[in-house]
Amino acid sequence: MADGETLGKRSLKPLLQAALILLMGAVLGGGFNALRPNGLPWVRTSSLPTEEGSAPPMGMYEAWAAFQKGTVLFVDARSSSEYAAGHLPGAVNLQVDQGQQAVAGFRPPEGRDLVVYCSDPACTKSSELAALLSSRGIKRLRIMHEGWAGWFEAGLPFEESGP
Amino acid sequence: MTRSYGLNPTGALVLASRIVLGVMFVYAGITKIMDPAGFAQAIANYRILPGGLVNPAAVVLPWVEVLAGLSLVLGLLLEGGALVIAGLLLVFTLALGFNLMRGLDISCGCFGPSGGSVTWWYVLRDVLLFGMACLVLVYSRISPFALDGRLFRNRPGAREGG
């Protein structure tokens, strides 16, 4: 039967093995990432949909108040058909599905925050578009996570068709 | 100290758990390795890790999943592999549960970036898998068809395969 010393070694063994697996994962992952053409930068430069990221969230009502003061421009990341069916007041449509082409000709207005949104709280197009815009050096980005669905259900004003 | 290589009921259950978990983790890891940017976005969508840790996690985590999965399938460094998988499942369960509780509607990212929104079923699944990983960890010594036993059986003091 195991005495104190071997018992200590026994409980240490899984930890050492786990550390070895983690270390090998880090070496392989880091090495593979460095070699592959579409590897990630170690530090994420584009904006994040995190609270700490360069595109922090803006609540729906805060966004509406800011719009009335004229300090924000809404940016719709959805498809053109969704945009035409209804969008936030004055919103411009930058279809993130079209990639760089969507933002190629876009010039952000001076002195206004860009409030990016997509269909609902689950959608990721707003984060993707914010990352795309951020990668082109555009600052003052905010994301409205409630999206079109939240805005519409809250009964806030909206526009149909045409920009 | 006796080791059993026969297929007694516990041994069979441990072996089945090893294969299910191992294959699942290897598959999950490979889908993430194939789309690093998508997986990084999935991690970011959880809004738990600070921005600076998102990409390192997206680079390293899939490989840890593949290695730990292989460890379970092969029975090599079995205790370590089971410990890593149990730890990962615990973290996944907490992350999923935390975001469900605060009402964040996100996609799982569990098997690559595509997939539906997270529900409590995902949490239940991870809890069950966590139980299987604990079973493997506890009974790793009696698990049949493990390379550890074949490679190191004459060196009871050996710590690991190096």
Side-chain angles (χ1 to χ4, degrees):
Chain A
M1 287 295 110
D3 60 14
E5 197 194 346
T6 45
L7 200 67
K9 271 186 185 170
R10 269 173 139 207
S11 54
L12 199 59
K13 187 175 150 201
L15 286 174
L16 288 171
Q17 290 186 350
L20 183 64
I21 290 172
L22 294 177
L23 186 69
M24 289 195 299
V27 170
L28 278 172
F32 189 70
N33 186 64
L35 293 178
R36 72 191 302 173
N38 57 342
L40 295 174
W42 280 95
V43 177
R44 203 172 158 95
T45 46
S46 61
S47 80
L48 282 171
T50 56
E51 267 78 8
E52 308 81 29
S54 55
M58 180 182 261
M60 188 167 65
Y61 293 102
E62 190 193 345
W64 172 232
F67 174 77
Q68 289 173 301
K69 279 189 253 168
T71 58
V72 297
L73 173 68
F74 292 123
V75 181
D76 191 322
R78 302 173 300 162
S79 68
S80 59
S81 58
E82 288 172 296
Y83 175 83
H87 52 260
L88 270 54
V92 294
N93 187 203
L94 302 179
Q95 299 177 59
V96 74
D97 290 339
Q98 296 180 349
Q100 293 286 349
Q101 198 192 331
V103 294
F106 178 67
R107 295 281 170 274
E110 287 287 317
R112 280 201 280 174
D113 285 350
L114 298 177
V115 179
V116 187
Y117 70 93
C118 44
S119 55
D120 55 58
C123 68
T124 54
K125 284 183 182 177
S126 54
S127 314
E128 291 163 26
L129 181 61
L132 196 57
L133 291 169
S134 177
S135 71
R136 297 174 69 89
I138 294 172
K139 307 256 186 280
R140 302 186 62 167
L141 291 160
R142 306 291 294 267
I143 293 177
M144 194 193 81
H145 287 292
E146 291 90 340
W148 164 253
W151 186 273
F152 183 77
E153 281 161 24
L156 291 167
F158 62 93
E159 295 170 355
E160 285 166 82
S161 73
Chain B
M1 196 151 56
T2 55
R3 283 199 182 88
S4 164
Y5 293 98
L7 265 180
N8 57 42
T10 312
L13 196 60
V14 172
L15 183 62
S17 298
R18 275 173 48 196
I19 291 169
V20 168
L21 284 171
V23 169
M24 191 178 285
F25 267 76
V26 169
Y27 171 74
I30 289 172
T31 60
K32 290 165 189 159
I33 288 169
M34 294 195 319
D35 184 5
F39 183 50
Q41 186 61 50
I43 296 178
N45 287 345
Y46 273 77
R47 293 183 224 164
I48 290 175
L49 278 186
L53 292 180
V54 168
N55 277 9
V59 166
V60 172
L61 183 63
W63 287 90
V64 171
E65 287 186 330
V66 168
L67 290 175
L70 284 176
S71 152
L72 257 63
V73 171
L74 300 175
L76 191 63
L77 305 179
L78 184 53
E79 286 170 280
L83 186 62
V84 167
I85 285 186
L88 287 176
L89 285 167
L90 190 64
V91 171
F92 296 163
T93 308
L94 291 176
L96 289 169
F98 176 61
N99 274 341
L100 278 169
M101 295 235 275
R102 66 172 169 175
L104 208 62
D105 188 0
I106 54 171
S107 66
C108 185
C110 305
F111 297 95
S114 57
S117 292
V118 166
T119 64
W120 284 106
W121 286 113
Y122 286 68
V123 178
L124 182 65
R125 180 193 66 189
D126 280 5
V127 169
L128 289 175
L129 293 173
F130 176 71
M132 288 164 69
C134 290
L135 189 78
V136 176
L137 185 58
V138 170
Y139 290 105
S140 59
R141 268 152 206 285
I142 63 152
S143 182
F145 306 113
L147 281 179
D148 279 341
R150 284 160 206 278
L151 293 176
F152 311 119
R153 90 172 88 186
N154 297 324
R155 296 161 54 205
R159 279 181 181 172
E160 62 197 36

